[in-house]
Amino acid sequence: MNHEPQIAIEVEDLTVAYHHNPVLWDIDLSIPEGVISAIVGPNGAGKSTLIKAMLRLVPISSGTVTFFGRPLDEMRRSVAYVPQRSEVDWDFPTTVHDVVMMGSYGALGWIRKPGRREREKAMSALEKVGMVEFANRQISELSGGQQQRTFIARALVQDANILLMDEPFAGVDAATEQAILAVLRDLQQAGKTLVIVHHDLLTVKSYFDHVILLNVHTIADGPIERTFTEENLERAYKGKFSAMKGRIDESVV
Amino acid sequence: MSLLYDLFFDYTLRNVALGTLLLGLGSGAIGSFMTLRGESLIGDAIAHATLPGVVLAYLLTSTKDPLLLLSGAAIAGILGIGAIMGLTRTTKIDSDGANGIILSIFFGFGLLLLTYIQKLPDASQAGLDRFIFGQAATIVASDVALIAIVQGVVLLTLILFFKELKSSTFDPQSTTVMGFNRKIIDAIFATLLVAVIVTGLQTVGVILISALLVTPAAAARQWTHSLKTMVILSSLFSGISGMVGSLISATEMNLPTGPIIVLVLTAIVVISLLFGSRRGLVIKKVSQYRRQGHFDERRILLALDELSRSHDQRGLYHSHHTISLLVGERHSMRRLLAKLVKEGAILKEGDAYLLSKQGEATVASLALEEVHHDR
């Protein structure tokens, strides 16, 4: 692991519009390999849309996105996506173990069925997120935090180098938040690059080492110390930030 | 008995039974995916959209060869589903709206064409309207063979692509990111759906074919939490209803097949909604009642524990009334107290109660459990 950090994700001139309204406008940014990066910005800034656009889940009007210098289609095995919990129907008839096993489908490719190897991989991923005892649980019976950990376990099974996560800390209790954070730190230790849409400004400094400040445009992106500044936050949140400032100062120290 | 005899030896009845059974197997299976994708209405829209295809095929060729008519239906069905997907993708119309628009436009056009050919002097057009309500008694061995081949291919494709269909139904975005092209999966699904619907037109008809897709899936969901089991159950429910319904319709010759099959399906769905082992109303009520009872038992034990703590003198019995004050009045109080006495958790003297040693241990373990939960 003793090589120069490369650029894991490079976004150039990315523009996304829904029905002629720009949601993301001329985004340029680069995320170095091995960081835990937060995408931060006010509501409607296009945070979720940014990772969806990177993954071509929403149509882009212009621009390019590359992963380690290559287009997504050549890098699908290396990229995993953890959507927001609310994006799927948790009433779907299936178990936790089964959902986690879906992480192996990409490597299996079309038609081939998962076997013992895939089942074991799913179990070991469940172990990493502390969900082994829930393996056979129907997914409709999970709490928010358990749903989130199930999704993360599925991403672990994908064994990707780059993980893009949409609000993994939303609506989970404090203990689960710490458990998820520990898993993310392990992933970083293993050399993975993590990009996380995050809403809680109070924890940005302690959880992340890289940040992307977004508000339709890229306000700033780079290492936390240099980028997560009062001035940049003020520009991203346009005055709404002053109200929150006091609390942030306390937590940042 | 005679029906059973006829089933094996009567040519028409055997065809009808076999045809609708096979039709049901495929439609129930693909119907599960349709409802789980949140697209329950699309089957109905496609079915209605096939009508102009049938009539146009007849107008262009002047034959009533089922293979030709059904090919026309398939083309119209594919156009219909393509139009629905196109509308939702390029406009702000949602899928309900798109289904409604396409259904009415295509079906309206089909009815118009049907009226037109009925005015033609040639009498051989008579009978095309059976595609609207379905008439199982009219199918012959070659029709059954066609149904068997199509449904066989449908089931085989479902088995082959089960993993892809499952993953994309549950989480289409992640499935796309993993490298499964959404358009290919959608195309597979749409093709299977059109195939099933088209083969059902002769027997069940345009209007009611969607019941064979949606209803068995809804019934099956009540009995299981596993997708595989749901698909199999739905397939069986649909197959059995198809066969039973068409047999009833064939014996009473004046009854159209579609409505009778729907009646049988209705019986299955009502039974499932009431008694389904996973989500049925009865099982839900029973487990709710049990949970409540279990919860109240704990509260009685905790109340007795609290009472004994609040008195200096140990070993005092507390009246039913006092316990009720702490736990809240319950109709089930007497029954629960009697049950706890029987289990040895509490001791009874007249109408007063005291925690036994065993009961104290239970309370202690409850307290531990609580700490564990908070962690």
Side-chain angles (χ1 to χ4, degrees):
Chain A
M1 294 262 162
N2 224 344
H3 60 292
E4 283 288 301
Q6 293 178 295
I7 299 298
I9 307 176
E10 179 99 58
V11 178
E12 282 176 83
D13 308 326
L14 178 71
T15 294
V16 175
Y18 285 142
H19 301 289
H20 305 297
N21 300 318
V23 186
L24 293 172
W25 190 256
D26 198 18
I27 302 285
D28 286 292
L29 54 89
S30 62
I31 301 168
E33 183 182 12
V35 299
I36 303 192
S37 179
I39 300 179
V40 174
N43 286 339
K47 303 184 292 279
S48 297
T49 308
L50 176 57
I51 56 174
K52 284 186 184 174
M54 288 175 176
L55 296 168
R56 290 304 184 98
L57 291 172
V58 295
I60 64 177
S61 308
S62 66
T64 55
V65 179
T66 53
F67 299 86
F68 291 112
R70 297 208 186 124
L72 177 64
D73 275 330
E74 292 174 24
M75 296 297 286
R76 291 203 182 267
R77 274 311 77 70
S78 306
V79 180
Y81 172 53
V82 179
Q84 269 183 54
R85 282 189 288 121
S86 56
E87 297 223 0
V88 305
D89 174 14
W90 290 94
D91 208 26
F92 190 82
T94 192
T95 61
V96 169
H97 183 260
D98 213 30
V99 169
V100 175
M101 209 148 71
M102 289 180 194
S104 67
Y105 287 6
L108 285 168
W110 291 91
I111 297 178
R112 257 177 71 202
K113 308 278 176 208
R116 207 168 71 143
R117 217 173 69 89
E118 282 73 26
R119 279 198 293 277
E120 281 167 3
K121 240 179 146 176
M123 278 317 278
S124 91
L126 279 171
E127 208 173 310
K128 281 183 194 140
V129 299
M131 289 278 293
V132 171
E133 55 192 301
F134 298 99
N136 294 318
R137 186 73 66 92
Q138 163 64 20
I139 58 167
S140 61
E141 294 164 4
L142 298 178
S143 71
Q146 290 162 348
Q147 291 175 351
Q148 197 62 60
R149 283 192 273 174
T150 304
F151 262 178
I152 291 174
R154 182 181 63 175
L156 293 180
V157 169
Q158 281 176 259
D159 214 6
N161 288 320
I162 298 172
L163 288 93
L164 298 151
M165 305 184 167
D166 201 347
E167 301 254 18
F169 299 116
V172 306
D173 60 53
T176 307
E177 181 154 338
Q178 291 312 310
I180 291 173
L181 187 64
V183 174
L184 302 186
R185 292 253 155 86
D186 284 349
L187 285 167
Q188 189 187 23
Q189 285 293 311
K192 318 280 189 193
T193 308
L194 298 116
V195 182
I196 293 165
V197 173
H198 194 62
H199 66 287
D200 183 7
L201 291 177
L202 300 178
T203 50
V204 171
K205 279 224 165 178
S206 51
Y207 288 5
F208 300 91
D209 47 25
H210 184 275
V211 69
I212 295 156
L213 284 166
L214 191 74
N215 193 350
V216 184
H217 308 264
T218 339
I219 305 296
D221 67 308
I224 274 283
E225 319 81 64
R226 237 185 28 228
T227 318
F228 197 67
T229 61
E230 210 169 285
E231 191 199 337
N232 282 337
L233 283 166
E234 192 70 57
R235 279 171 56 215
Y237 286 80
K238 289 192 184 120
K240 280 174 235 154
F241 175 64
S242 307
M244 297 182 277
K245 195 167 141 275
R247 294 191 301 138
I248 309 265
D249 285 345
E250 279 166 38
S251 72
V252 172
V253 195
Chain B
M1 249 356 254
S2 80
L3 189 65
L4 200 63
Y5 178 86
D6 287 348
L7 189 54
F8 287 105
F9 299 104
D10 182 294
Y11 173 81
T12 309
L13 209 55
R14 199 175 51 207
N15 282 337
V16 167
L18 205 57
T20 44
L21 172 73
L22 292 167
L23 170 69
L25 292 180
S27 63
I30 190 78
S32 296
F33 286 100
M34 189 179 83
T35 52
L36 289 172
R37 283 167 65 111
E39 293 173 358
S40 295
L41 287 173
I42 205 169
D44 203 24
I46 298 171
H48 282 76
T50 59
L51 186 64
V54 174
V55 188
L56 274 177
Y58 169 76
L59 270 175
L60 292 175
T61 63
S62 299
T63 57
K64 282 203 289 182
D65 176 10
L67 203 58
L68 256 167
L69 298 183
L70 295 184
S71 302
I75 293 168
I78 288 168
L79 283 178
I81 200 170
I84 290 166
M85 287 176 171
L87 267 183
T88 49
R89 219 162 271 169
T90 56
T91 68
K92 284 191 175 180
I93 298 169
D94 66 2
S95 69
D96 283 358
N99 282 324
I101 291 167
I102 298 306
L103 181 153
S104 46
I105 291 176
F106 276 66
F107 190 58
F109 183 53
L111 287 179
L112 188 75
L113 289 173
L114 211 54
T115 323
Y116 169 72
I117 57 167
Q118 272 161 1
K119 293 205 174 116
L120 292 179
D122 183 2
S124 72
Q125 88 284 351
L128 274 193
D129 52 350
R130 75 190 158 88
F131 282 94
I132 295 177
F133 288 116
Q135 195 51 269
T138 61
I139 65 171
V140 293
S142 63
D143 296 325
V144 176
L146 180 69
I147 295 176
I149 291 167
V150 173
Q151 301 298 320
V153 171
V154 166
L155 288 175
L156 200 68
T157 315
L158 268 184
I159 293 168
L160 274 181
F161 293 102
F162 188 79
K163 160 175 129 264
E164 288 79 7
L165 287 165
K166 174 166 82 174
S167 181
S168 81
T169 304
F170 173 60
D171 186 350
Q173 296 188 338
S174 302
T175 311
T176 307
V177 173
M178 281 192 271
F180 298 99
N181 190 326
R182 175 93 186 261
K183 282 186 185 144
I184 295 176
I185 296 177
D186 284 353
I188 293 170
F189 170 73
T191 310
L192 296 183
L193 200 53
V194 171
V196 162
I197 288 170
V198 165
T199 52
L201 292 182
Q202 278 181 289
T203 45
V204 186
V206 161
I207 293 180
L208 291 173
I209 183 79
S210 86
L212 274 175
L213 297 159
V214 182
T215 323
R221 185 68 184 91
Q222 310 304 317
W223 299 93
T224 177
H225 282 323
S226 143
L227 178 64
K228 207 178 277 177
T229 316
M230 177 178 166
V231 172
I232 293 169
L233 271 182
S234 175
S235 176
L236 292 177
F237 285 165
S238 194
I240 291 165
S241 318
M243 193 173 78
V244 172
S246 64
L247 285 179
I248 296 172
S249 123
T251 46
E252 304 291 326
M253 284 305 280
N254 287 329
L255 297 173
T257 324
I260 303 292
I261 292 178
V262 170
L263 285 179
V264 180
L265 276 170
T266 308
I268 291 181
V269 87
V270 167
I271 291 169
S272 300
L273 283 172
L274 284 175
F275 303 108
S277 59
R278 286 286 178 259
R279 340 179 103 196
L281 278 176
V282 172
I283 203 90
K284 268 191 188 157
K285 280 286 165 211
V286 167
S287 72
Q288 197 183 339
Y289 181 72
R290 280 212 191 116
R291 252 200 316 273
Q292 185 64 46
H294 191 65
F295 184 64
D296 286 343
E297 275 174 38
R298 287 174 164 213
R299 299 205 355 173
I300 292 171
L301 292 180
L302 290 169
L304 281 168
D305 182 55
E306 203 180 315
L307 284 169
S308 73
R309 277 170 208 276
S310 61
H311 291 76
D312 297 333
Q313 197 188 334
R314 292 245 146 205
L316 276 180
Y317 282 74
H318 298 279
S319 73
H320 168 247
H321 179 67
T322 318
I323 300 168
S324 290
L325 280 178
L326 279 172
V327 177
E329 194 57 57
R330 294 272 187 283
H331 293 297
S332 53
M333 186 63 89
R334 296 252 168 233
R335 185 179 58 81
L336 291 174
L337 283 169
K339 183 169 174 252
L340 286 167
V341 170
K342 206 172 150 199
E343 285 170 5
I346 57 176
L347 306 168
K348 182 178 183 179
E349 210 177 83
D351 196 23
Y353 302 87
L354 172 71
L355 222 49
S356 71
K357 282 272 173 272
Q358 184 199 323
E360 282 170 14
T362 311
V363 170
S365 73
L366 282 179
L368 265 179
E369 209 172 287
E370 208 122 290
V371 171
H372 189 74
H373 262 284
D374 286 346
R375 257 190 65 225

